Amino acid sequence: MRDPAERAYSNYLHLIKQEREPLDFAEALAQEEELIKNNWWSFWYYKQRGL
């Protein structure tokens, strides 16, 4: 099994590399619930995908 925190950060870095994530990691984590409510693609669900 993969460490959930490492998986979340790796996911974040992938989106940063693609220039698809404008927020820093802490801000992105804080915004996750709003993205879920707005039906964003689950690739932006850093915490939730690690559960």
Side-chain angles (χ1 to χ4, degrees):
M1 294 186 105
R2 192 166 180 193
D3 177 89
E6 289 180 13
R7 193 223 50 83
Y9 194 63
S10 174
N11 190 164
Y12 169 79
L13 290 177
H14 180 78
L15 290 172
I16 287 291
K17 185 176 180 179
Q18 292 183 336
E19 299 180 354
R20 297 175 73 189
E21 178 61 82
L23 305 175
D24 69 35
F25 190 54
E27 292 171 330
L29 291 174
Q31 191 178 40
E32 183 171 318
E33 290 299 319
E34 190 66 29
L35 298 180
I36 292 169
K37 287 178 189 175
N38 291 319
N39 297 312
W40 279 55
W41 182 33
S42 65
F43 204 65
W44 275 265
Y45 302 175
Y46 306 120
K47 293 181 287 189
Q48 188 182 64
R49 289 186 64 159
L51 300 178

